[in-house]
Structures are given as C-alpha cells and as structure tokens.
Amino acid sequence: MSDLLSIGASGVRANQTALGVVSENIANAGVTGYSRRTITTTEISSASGTTGRATGHGVFVTGVTRAADQFKAAAVRTAGADLARTEAGGVWMDRIQSSLTGAGLEGRLTAFFNAAKGVAADPTATAPRAVMLEQANALAASFTATGVALANATAELDATADGAVASLNSLSAALAKVNDGLSRVTPNTNAAVNLADQRDAILEQMSGLVDVTATYDAAGRATVRAGGGAGTTLVSGNQVATVSYARNAQGTVAFAVTSGDTVSVLAPQGGALGGIADGAQRIAGARIELSELATEFVAGVNAVQAGGRTLDNVAGAPLFTVGDSPTDITMTMTDPRGIAAAAPDEGTRGNANLAALENLRTSARFEGTIGNMVSTNAAAIQARGVVAEAQGAIHDGAIAARDAISGVDLDREAVDLLRFQQAYQASSRVISIARDTFQTLLDIR
C-alpha cells in the first residue's frame, strides 16, 4: 500500500513540474529568443529479488530540456549576417548619392560652361562676364560642398564602425560570462536552459555585426569564430578577444583582433562590419574620382585663362585656387574684365580663347563624369535593394523554420495543459484511494 502512495506522490510531483513548465511556455509565448521547454521523466523501477522482474515505483523528473535546433539557428545567423551586410552597405551608398547630388555639381558645371558661351557671344560686354564669374563662384562652392559631404560621410562611417566594434566587444564579453555560467550550472535545469537561450540570443546579435560560426562543448559553451572559413576566434570559454577598427589615408579599413599578445586580422564577410568595409571602399573611390575631376577642371580652366588675353590686353590670371584638398576650390579672380576671352593675336575684342574652354569641356567630359558617378551609384543602390529583398525573404524563412521547432505553439500548450492537469488529478486520486484503502485495512484490524 505504501508503494501505491509513493507512486501517486511521484506522479503528482512530476505532473506539477510539467504544469509549471507549460505555464512558463505560455507566459513567454511572445518573448523573443525564448525556446519552448519540456520535461524529461524516467520510471522508478527495481528488480524483484525472487522473480528478477522489474517492479515499478512511480516516476521522477530527470530534467528540463529546450526545443532547439542548432543547425537552424546557424542558418538564421548566416542569413542575418548576409542581410545586415547588404543593408549596412546600402546606407553608405545612399550617403554617397546624397553627397554627389546635394550641391548640384553637375548642374553647376553646365551653368558655368554655358555662361562662358554667353561671354563668347559678346566678349566686350561686362554683364555676361559678371554672370560667368558668378557661375564660377557657385561652381567652386559646389565642388567644395561635395567634397565636404563625402569627407563627412567618411567621418560618420568611422564613428559607426567604432560603435559597431564596441557593441561586438560587449557582446563577446557577455557571451563569455554566459559560457562561464554554463560551466557552473547543472545540465538540464531551468538555469541551464535559460543560459542557453541567452547564449543563442547573443550569437544572433553578434551575427548582425559580423558573420560568426559557433561550436559547442558538452556543457553548451560556445566557441565563436568570425570572418568566414576558419575565421578568427572571438570567444572561447570565458576567454575574450578584442576587436579594433582603423582606416588609412586611402580609405581602406581594417579590423584587428587582439587576444593576449596575439594580433590577427578580421576580414568580415557579413554583418554590419562587412557593410562598413564595403561602404568605406565606395566612399574612398568616390572621393578619389571627385578629386581627380576637380584637379583636372581647375588645371584645365586656369591653363585656358593663361593662354588668352583679357579686356585690358594682358595675359589671363588663374580663375580658381585650390586649398588643402583638391575639392577645396575658391575664386582667385573677382574682376570680370580679367576673363581671358580673346586669343593672343585677336586683341581685346576677340573670343577665340573661349573655344579652347569649350574644347576642354568636350574632351574632359566633366559633366559626363559626375553624371556617370551619380548614375552608376544609383544603379548599384537599386541592385542592392533587390538583393536585400531576397535576403530578407531568406532570413524570414530561416526564422520561421527555427521557430517551428523552438517557438511556443499556444494550441499545443493548451492541449498539454489539459493533459498534465488530468494526469495530476489522476495521481491525486491514486493517493486518495491508497489512503482510503489503508484506512479501511486499519479499521478491519
């Protein structure tokens, strides 16, 4: 009779634990990163001394497990890293586009050369010359503003990179603490599964910053590598490496990983760091191309000036001056009479020298160059948007596949709630019957 009581009591305890786990699942149904819990149970049995057959003595709870598939979780991280790189790179492409178009450089170039045609039509009139100087001044300001915008984009990229690296280092440190916790807790306990949820959530956040791969030991501690292939180790047990960011004068960025006395290079293939590296390369390319355009323009226009004669029949002086950077352009000339419209053999009333300016416009294709920069970048933005849309769908699909295993299904939990409730009541009934029977036997005696 005591066996019947212990069997009923073990059933009550097991089903009470199961009800608590189901309740926890229901309460956390909408919590991001929460994995569904279940209990594992084992029969309490012993072999009979006379028959050798196993005799049941009830059930006990061996632990709490989480519904998780590490392969599907890894697929989410991979898809997330790809999407994050594309989106982060797109931010800087948009920044380049706004920098190239914000100051209206292409239109200012056109207005300047058209103003020169106005001077050629009436080389002795002061008004067209004044207009040309006004357009030249506006063009110089446009070159400067465009260069400053791209320089500001570079500075913003540096700040973003520093912030992303700081976040990655913070997440690595947090993961190391979780690893340390996993080494201390008893497996298959609530504490262990909670730490495993935290571990996977941190890994997913890390994948938004850089492509990571993770391996696990028997305790569930993660060793994390970043950068594709064999990668560079960021976290191993409770040991953490530190990531740093640097950019050289040519715009090339580099990420270094320091672990003790060892320094290695991190080449991000995904995540925000990968997008930052892409963006830095594109911004650097745009700045170089713009600087070359500005240098050729100023040198060409000033050379045309030097080859002609002004209204005062003197050799033309430079129209523009360049500052610390090729795009830092200011006006040298302020007197409209100083525009060298005439060729040396024409006197002061000619306009042949402005033909050389028009030839420079045609051969150097200043407007076409800046227009091509804008259109090429716009096409790249559009293509990247298509890629991002596809990667977003892949990422959503990976999340759905993972959540189909680890997510909480309220319909299933409702069924389990009823099942364990009935089992709990049945076990309680076993105890009640055993007690009544035992009392009846006592009364008979």
Side-chain angles (χ1 to χ4, degrees):
M1 194 58 60
S2 61
D3 285 347
L4 189 60
L5 283 169
S6 64
I7 290 171
S10 69
V12 167
R13 287 192 295 269
N15 288 294
Q16 184 180 33
T17 301
L19 285 169
V21 169
V22 171
S23 299
E24 185 75 5
N25 289 339
I26 293 173
N28 289 277
V31 176
T32 301
Y34 178 85
S35 297
R36 179 176 180 266
R37 275 83 153 132
T38 57
I39 64 167
T40 55
T41 57
T42 299
E43 180 188 9
I44 304 172
S45 62
S46 64
S48 170
T50 57
T51 65
R53 293 181 297 178
T55 302
H57 296 284
V59 66
F60 72 94
V61 176
T62 57
V64 178
T65 60
R66 58 194 292 267
D69 186 321
Q70 293 300 337
F71 294 104
K72 286 183 168 52
V76 171
R77 293 195 295 269
T78 299
D82 291 341
L83 178 60
R85 175 177 181 171
T86 301
E87 290 180 338
V91 169
W92 302 111
M93 291 170 67
D94 289 338
R95 192 72 171 81
I96 292 170
Q97 195 73 0
S98 63
S99 297
L100 293 176
T101 59
L105 181 56
E106 184 179 6
R108 292 298 185 186
L109 282 164
T110 299
F112 170 74
F113 285 113
N114 287 344
K117 288 183 177 181
V119 175
D122 190 359
T124 61
T126 303
R129 288 171 173 266
V131 170
M132 183 175 174
L133 284 189
E134 288 177 4
Q135 294 298 338
N137 187 59
L139 176 56
S142 183
F143 264 116
T144 301
T146 304
V148 168
L150 287 174
N152 288 341
T154 302
E156 290 173 13
L157 182 140
D158 288 343
T160 301
D162 287 337
V165 165
S167 295
L168 181 59
N169 289 333
S170 177
L171 289 170
S172 296
L175 181 59
K177 290 181 179 179
V178 171
N179 280 345
D180 186 57
L182 285 168
S183 68
R184 299 172 185 274
V185 299
T186 303
N188 298 325
T189 61
N190 279 322
V193 296
N194 284 334
L195 286 170
D197 276 354
Q198 293 178 39
R199 177 200 64 202
D200 288 355
I202 292 172
L203 286 171
E204 189 168 348
Q205 292 178 64
M206 292 177 74
S207 70
L209 296 171
V210 66
D211 51 312
V212 295
T213 56
T215 55
Y216 309 92
D217 64 11
R221 295 176 298 181
T223 297
V224 181
R225 298 178 182 273
T232 304
T233 301
L234 298 183
V235 180
S236 180
N238 60 1
Q239 301 300 310
V240 185
T242 302
V243 180
S244 58
Y245 163 80
R247 178 180 55 81
N248 63 19
Q250 289 71 42
T252 302
V253 303
F255 298 95
V257 179
T258 303
S259 179
D261 296 330
T262 303
V263 179
S264 55
V265 175
L266 170 61
Q269 305 299 311
L273 297 189
I276 287 169
D278 292 342
Q281 184 178 11
R282 288 182 176 274
I283 293 174
R287 294 184 71 180
I288 290 171
E289 193 168 0
L290 181 67
S291 294
E292 291 174 348
L293 175 67
T295 298
E296 186 177 3
F297 173 80
V298 170
V301 171
N302 286 346
V304 169
Q305 271 288 111
R309 308 295 288 184
T310 71
L311 275 179
D312 297 322
N313 200 25
V314 296
L319 194 63
F320 300 106
T321 299
V322 178
D324 294 334
S325 70
T327 57
D328 184 12
I329 302 173
T330 56
M331 289 290 296
T332 303
M333 182 181 298
T334 58
D335 185 359
R337 297 179 62 84
I339 296 175
D345 57 353
E346 286 186 313
T348 60
R349 303 179 64 83
N351 64 2
N353 193 50
L354 291 178
L357 188 63
E358 187 63 23
N359 290 337
L360 174 67
R361 176 188 192 183
T362 302
S363 61
R365 298 188 67 254
F366 299 117
E367 296 143 286
T369 297
I370 190 67
N372 184 65
M373 291 175 64
V374 171
S375 61
T376 299
N377 191 66
I381 290 173
Q382 184 177 15
R384 187 165 291 242
V386 173
V387 172
E389 185 176 353
Q391 290 175 335
I394 294 171
H395 186 230
D396 291 343
I399 291 175
R402 180 199 62 188
D403 290 350
I405 294 175
S406 62
V408 175
D409 183 342
L410 289 177
D411 290 338
R412 180 171 57 184
E413 300 303 325
V415 171
D416 284 347
L417 191 65
L418 291 174
R419 179 165 62 91
F420 291 128
Q421 181 184 21
Q422 291 173 349
Y424 179 89
Q425 291 172 341
S427 295
S428 299
R429 184 60 177 162
V430 168
I431 295 173
S432 177
I433 291 173
R435 183 188 60 197
D436 292 345
T437 303
F438 189 69
Q439 185 62 47
T440 300
L441 290 174
L442 289 176
D443 290 344
I444 292 173
R445 292 177 185 177

